[in-house]
Structures are given as C-alpha cells and as structure tokens.
Amino acid sequence: MRGILASSIGVTCAAALALPLAPPAAASAASAASAASVSSVSSAGTPAPVADVATRTVGTAGARAGARAEVPGSTQSLPLRPLTRDRASGAVLGLTPRTVRTFSLLGVVWDDPSVDLHGRVQVRTRAASTGDWTDWQDVETHYTQHGADPDSSEAASGKARGATAPLWVGESDGVEVRVLPEPDAGEPEDVDPVGTGSDEGASGGEGAGEVSTLPAGMRLDLVDPGEAEPGESAGGAEPQAEPGESEGPEPQAEPGESAEGAEPAEGAEVPRTGVMTAAAKAASAANSALVPLGATQIPSLTAEETREELVALRGTGLTEQQQAKPYIGPRPSIVTRRGWGADESLREKSFVYTSKVKAAFVHHTASGNSYSCSQAPSLIRGFYRYHTKSLGWRDIGYNFLVDKCGRIYEGRAGGVAKPVKGAHTMGFNSKTTGIAVIGSYGSKKPSSKAVKAVARLTAWKLGLHGMNPKKKTSLTSGGGNLYAKGKKVKMKVISGHRDGFNTSCPGGKLHKKLGSVRSKAAGYQGR
C-alpha cells in the first residue's frame, strides 16, 4: 500500500487543507513533553523511542500491533524545537532523530496561512521495513498559492493553517527535521539558535531571537493514510487504449448533473457492499446519475455514447447545432472517492459549487515521483488527510488527480460531472476545475499516459460546459500575487497553476506539455 521513498520534491502545486491538529494550549503541552525527549539518541546514533507527544486527529481509536495505525489513518503532530547540535548546517528549529508511530507522508505546518516560510526545510526518515535512514530531502516550502480564494468562506473559517507541500516518504517509523532560515533573513550568525529555549522561541514568537523570522507555531505533521477497506478497489485496472490507439487511458464521457433518475451505466463496477455512513452515501449519491450508490469506479463511455448522453441530459440547454454535434470528449474512467478509500468523516458535510467550468488549471502535487501506481490511492488518502486535518481546508483541494499510469481519481466531493468549487489555484477557484498530476515535475517529465489522461479528462469536463480547449476565456481574480482581486484576466482554457499565481507549479516539465494537452483535448472533442 505504501512504498518507496519519495525523491526531493520540486515546486509545489498541490492543494493543502486541514483543521488545526491541536488548540494552542494543547500544542504548548505537547511542546513541553517534546522538550524532555528531543535529544533521546543512543550513543550508537540510533534514535531511541520518545514520549508519544503526537496529537491524534478524528478517525483513530488507537495504534495496532507493529505501531501501525488502524484503518482510518492518523496524524501525529510534533512541535519543532530550537536545535543546539546543528551549527554546521545552520539549522535553527527542528527535531533530532526519533522513533514515531508509522507514517508515510509528512509536512511542516504553522499557525498563520498568510505567512510565508522564508527558509529551507529538510527531513530524513527511517524506512519501517529495513531500518535504513534516507539522505536529507528538501520539502517544498512555497505552498500558500494553493488554497481557497481570499475572503471566501473556506479561507475565513479560522481553521486554515500555513504549511509546506506534503512529501511522500513511504512507510516510515523514524524522522529527523531541520529548518534553515534564508541567508538574508537577518539571523545573526554568531548567536546561539537555541535562544531562550522557551515555547515562544520554539515556535517563532517573542523572545525567539533570530527564530522570530520564522512562522509561529511550527510543527511537523506525520500522516498515516490508513488502509483501504477489505475488498476495496485499489484504483481499478490500468486504463486501456481507445479503439484505434496503442496506449493510454480509456476515453470517457459523462452524464449531466442530475442526481436522480439515471440508469446505471453499462459496464459500471458493482457497488461495494457493507454499511455506508451518511457522509459516504452523500458523496456517492453526487455521482448517482452515472453509477449506482457505492460504486468504486465510473466507467468510460465511447465518444458517441457521451454525446448521446449529453444531448439527453441537457438537450433543452443546447442549440440545434450543438445537439447535432456537441463538442465533448468521451468520458474517461474515474476512480470514485469510495474507490480510493476516502474517510468521509474528515471533510465538511456540505458541497460547494460554482456556476460553471470555464477553465481547467493543471497542477502537480510536488510530493515526489517514487511511488508505484498501486500506491496512488494511499497517496491520495494522505493528501486528503493533510489538507483537511493539518491545513484546515473543507476537503481535498483538487477536483481530480491523475497518477503516472494515467488513472483518474475523483477529488473534492460533490460529483465529477458537477461544477464543484475546489481550493487549488488561489484567486481562480471560481468557474474552474483543478487537476493535479501526482508527482514532482520540475526536472522530471510526466509520463505520456498521465498527459493523455489530462487531455481526455479536460476534453470531457470542459466539453460539458461547451468550452474549447484551444481557446482563451475571461476569468475574474479573487485575489492573489499576480492579479488583484476583481481584475478580469484572459486565460487559456487549459492553464497551468503558474498562469494564475506566481509559482513554479505545475513544474516546468509538465507546463511544457500543456500545448500538447490542449491540442489532444480539442481532438477528443472532435474539433
């Protein structure tokens, strides 16, 4: 389920969310407990077990044998402390090597989402299977460009936190962290980075000396994404080629937005049996026009089936010419939230929609590339928990995710055919959809299967709203570091995250593929 260590990640382009893991009082108590154990390393250099100072999030009832959390998953939250032994590296805050409960994904979180981390975060982890420690890995620190639009109810909930991008490290049971401020951040080189040793100093508050340039309340969150339920789909079979094509995911088309009255699509996966919570039923019912309740996968449709379905569902809203030949790509196969094992208790109950989808923003998760496609559902469960329980978002930020084998996954709940409002491109979440390719693509090229999957998904999703992938559209900024709130911007219908926000996401190598995505998507639509 969880696997290999992730490589150093590139620029972030993922969505992050979560409820605060612990109130300030609880965090201070955890800091005090941590101080007593921060130097618990044996003379041989092997981390010794430390007091359990982790804060558990909703959905866990205890650890099971072998230090593995039970099925729902868990989050450990460890306050970062001033370091006394890292003068050589220049680190100011961090954690010395320690044994922890098993986890697979990590990130550094702080109190104020509007504050940037001007520094470098590095981690190394110990593989649970071998006991070997990795080399130091950089964690992408620029993550504020993901999230809800300023002044939106999601951003104003009081639950949001600042954070680094999540890093997938595979199943691990040991961790070490160091935070190195930027050279020009004003930290005196000859001052002891320990400062006063107080909790305020550890978190970047008053009395922290040079540490005051770092965000307040910094802590390390370690996420165990949990196991898929028995009998649960691990993402479905690898997408098959369309008739006449030699490779790549299958094409797919999709029904309209009605949640009632549709017959199950031919070839739909048989729904999983077992008790479903009210929240799980609601998330599944949002796709009930496409598949039966509890289905783990929405099957693909041919181009003709997709067009027939679109006309049947939206005939009254289409012109005579559109009814004769609607421009929409065949619906691709999509793994549902039920299919990747979403714990629906983590998200907020209601769904939020925008009026339509005029554009698609492409992202990368910046979580590393060393994952197998069978592990993708586990990564997505990790992103989901990190976004909701660490960053305070209402749900996972992306509308869709794509793995390197070309499988497409439902992201934020509310229905894949509906205009669900995500939290993926700050300032441009309205009237758009967010698609994240799992991995880091600053220096590594995305797979051809992933690129084709993005083209097929956009051809279908944008086609539902009559959008031409080769054209531009007008969007109004909700506020960001490129465009002021209220400014109308001409944007390509398929854009990269960096086109709407000053960021390197979706990575240079993936961004260069967007021209190909646009032309392929237009071709799938029959343009």
Side-chain angles (χ1 to χ4, degrees), residues 1 12 78 102 110 183 192 241 267 306 310-311 327 351 361-362 366 380 382 393 404 413 418-419 432 439 441 462 482:
M1 176 190 75
T12 169
L78 307 175
T102 305
W110 54 91
D192 190 333
T306 303
L310 178 64
V311 171
Y327 291 105
F351 308 135
F361 281 100
V362 179
I380 296 171
W393 299 357
K404 58 189 177 184
K418 300 178 182 181
T432 68
Y441 299 104
L462 294 170
L482 267 185

Side-chain angles (χ1 to χ4, degrees), residues 22-38 52-55 77-82 95 98 197-203 217-219:
S28 295
S31 296
S34 177
S37 58
V38 84
D52 185 359
V53 298
T55 299
S77 186
L78 307 175
L80 300 189
R81 303 289 303 170
L95 293 173
R98 60 193 50 225
S198 66
D199 288 340
E200 291 79 11
S203 62
M218 292 184 70
R219 58 189 183 269

Side-chain angles (χ1 to χ4, degrees), residues 123-507:
V123 300
R124 67 188 192 107
T125 56
R126 185 177 64 196
S129 59
T130 65
D132 295 333
W133 285 82
T134 67
D135 294 331
W136 287 102
Q137 302 181 76
D138 284 305
V139 180
E140 173 55 54
T141 59
H142 299 291
Y143 206 59
T144 56
Q145 60 268 35
H146 306 282
D149 295 339
D151 300 330
S152 67
S153 58
E154 185 170 355
S157 67
K159 301 174 182 177
R161 298 290 180 267
T164 67
L167 176 64
W168 177 261
V169 295
E171 197 165 78
S172 305
D173 60 8
V175 67
E176 182 177 8
V177 186
R178 61 191 187 193
V179 180
L180 300 82
E182 291 179 350
D184 59 350
E187 291 80 5
E189 294 182 0
D190 58 346
V191 177
D192 190 333
V194 173
T196 62
S198 66
D199 288 340
E200 291 79 11
S203 62
E206 294 183 13
E210 69 278 17
V211 185
S212 63
T213 60
L214 296 174
M218 292 184 70
R219 58 189 183 269
L220 175 69
D221 276 13
L222 305 174
V223 177
D224 183 335
E227 303 277 353
E229 293 182 19
E232 188 166 340
S233 167
E238 186 169 340
Q240 301 299 309
E242 273 189 275
E245 291 197 0
S246 59
E247 63 173 338
E250 269 190 288
Q252 303 157 356
E254 114 137 358
E257 299 180 358
S258 171
E260 299 178 359
E263 290 294 325
E266 182 177 352
E269 183 171 330
V270 177
R272 241 185 23 228
T273 57
V275 178
M276 294 176 67
T277 65
K281 287 180 180 178
S284 184
N287 292 314
S288 63
L290 317 181
V291 287
L293 190 70
T296 59
Q297 186 165 328
I298 297 168
S300 63
L301 296 180
T302 66
E304 186 58 32
E305 289 170 337
T306 303
R307 289 168 183 154
E308 290 175 356
E309 184 174 56
L310 178 64
V311 171
L313 293 171
R314 302 189 181 179
T316 57
L318 298 176
T319 66
E320 191 171 318
Q321 181 179 3
Q322 288 173 325
Q323 290 185 39
K325 187 180 180 181
Y327 291 105
I328 183 170
R331 183 182 71 196
S333 174
I334 302 172
V335 178
T336 66
R337 290 170 64 90
R338 182 93 167 144
W340 56 258
D343 178 354
E344 299 295 352
S345 70
L346 300 182
R347 64 170 175 83
E348 293 193 16
K349 293 182 179 179
S350 61
F351 308 135
V352 177
Y353 298 96
T354 185
S355 58
K356 65 176 297 184
V357 175
K358 298 176 65 178
F361 281 100
V362 179
H363 304 253
H364 68 173
T365 59
S367 51
N369 301 309
S370 295
Y371 70 93
S372 66
C373 293
S374 64
Q375 292 174 318
S378 187
L379 269 78
I380 296 171
R381 290 196 300 275
F383 301 150
Y384 173 44
R385 178 171 284 274
Y386 187 65
H387 288 178
T388 55
K389 306 310 293 183
S390 297
L391 304 186
W393 299 357
R394 62 179 296 115
D395 195 347
I396 191 170
Y398 308 116
N399 296 101
F400 298 94
L401 298 98
V402 176
D403 68 24
K404 58 189 177 184
C405 288
R407 295 186 186 92
I408 300 169
Y409 302 82
E410 178 183 14
R412 183 162 286 206
V416 296
K418 300 178 182 181
V420 178
K421 187 175 182 179
H424 48 84
T425 306
M426 185 179 289
F428 292 101
N429 290 308
S430 292
K431 300 182 180 180
T432 68
T433 193
I435 301 168
V437 180
I438 301 173
S440 301
Y441 299 104
S443 59
K444 181 179 176 59
K445 292 181 180 180
S447 70
S448 61
K449 288 184 177 182
V451 172
K452 285 185 177 182
V454 174
R456 288 196 171 101
L457 175 59
T458 51
W460 168 72
K461 183 69 177 180
L462 294 170
L464 290 173
H465 299 271
M467 300 304 297
N468 186 338
K470 294 191 295 186
K471 299 294 186 179
K472 289 186 177 181
T473 189
S474 179
L475 297 174
T476 301
S477 173
N481 63 3
L482 267 185
Y483 302 104
K485 183 177 179 180
K487 183 176 178 60
K488 292 186 177 179
V489 183
K490 279 287 186 181
M491 201 80 70
K492 291 180 179 178
V493 168
I494 298 178
S495 291
H497 187 180
R498 64 174 63 180
D499 299 315
F501 200 98
N502 185 16
T503 173
S504 296
C505 181

